[in-house]
Amino acid sequence: MEIKNTEVLGENQWLQLIEAEYSDGSKYTLVHETRCNGAIVGVLPFRRGESGNVELLVRNEFTPCWNFGLNPSSVTGGVDTGDTVLKTAAKETREETGYFVTEKDMIPLGTCYGMKCADTVYHLYAVDVTGKAEIPIESDGNESKAQNYWIDYLNGDEITKIVDPIWAITYMRLLTKNIING
């Protein structure tokens, strides 16, 4: 079913609330994230430790929509006009983790929506940063409020503390594809 017509019901500098009319005549109210052209990447870096255990990167950052303190979350970023999804995934990983990765390093894990009432598509990736060079974080000012840390991928106590749904979806897809065990 394709969208036939849209009407903007309200907006601010980041979001539009739109009413979308579909080809069958049905109408839905959706949130459209204009700040990222409706496309966001979510990346879950992982590494293999010296003992062979797999660790997953978590960003502890200020996320006002879930709480007003620091919250465990994922590497994410909006796709800028003119950029590809892969370019954005590699760039955000470098900016937010300090690991030098390329587009070829990205392991695709599919797409999802951040919520049922949004048209923004999240493009999910994992990336193995074992042995990758660390570079200074290319902060745009927001990264200074975040702290990265590593957890063992089998540590259920730590994983249940992560409230970011994008991190959780990416983690489950990573496990389902058997990438870190294969």
Side-chain angles (χ1 to χ4, degrees):
M1 197 169 22
E2 70 182 63
I3 295 177
K4 179 171 89 171
N5 188 27
T6 61
E7 177 185 350
V8 176
L9 303 175
E11 63 187 317
N12 63 26
Q13 68 190 71
W14 302 284
L15 304 169
Q16 286 182 329
L17 186 62
I18 61 172
E19 183 176 73
E21 181 181 359
Y22 291 85
S23 53
D24 70 351
S26 61
K27 293 182 179 181
Y28 295 95
T29 302
L30 302 170
V31 174
H32 176 75
E33 295 188 60
T34 54
R35 66 183 175 89
C36 62
N37 303 307
I40 293 178
V41 298
V43 181
L44 179 53
F46 66 94
R47 69 182 181 190
R48 297 179 195 284
E50 289 181 20
S51 64
N53 63 319
V54 175
E55 298 175 317
L56 307 169
L57 185 121
V58 181
R59 290 179 53 72
N60 210 19
E61 66 182 342
F62 180 72
T63 311
C65 60
W66 294 317
N67 195 335
F68 288 101
L70 292 174
N71 292 286
S73 64
S74 54
V75 172
T76 58
V79 179
D80 293 330
T81 302
D83 280 354
T84 66
V85 171
L86 273 173
K87 179 179 178 182
T88 300
K91 178 179 77 171
E92 290 297 331
T93 302
R94 288 189 303 267
E95 287 177 358
E96 296 184 14
T97 70
Y99 284 96
F100 185 80
V101 298
T102 67
E103 295 173 34
K104 292 179 183 178
D105 295 319
M106 295 294 127
I107 302 165
L109 298 173
T111 60
C112 70
Y113 292 93
M115 60 182 143
K116 289 168 75 171
C117 63
D119 70 346
T120 299
V121 177
Y122 283 75
H123 301 267
L124 307 178
Y125 295 91
V127 62
D128 186 349
V129 297
T130 306
K132 297 284 185 192
E134 288 190 63
I135 58 176
I137 292 179
E138 303 169 14
S139 179
D140 63 3
N142 295 322
E143 270 59 80
S144 61
K145 296 178 184 175
Q147 303 157 346
N148 296 333
Y149 64 96
W150 294 93
I151 60 172
D152 187 292
Y153 91 101
L154 294 176
N155 187 338
D157 290 339
E158 285 298 314
I159 290 169
T160 58
K161 294 176 186 175
I162 300 170
V163 297
D164 177 0
I166 300 306
W167 193 96
I169 292 167
T170 308
Y171 168 71
M172 292 307 295
R173 291 199 181 164
L174 182 65
L175 290 181
T176 303
K177 291 191 178 270
N178 205 25
I179 293 166
I180 54 181
N181 289 326

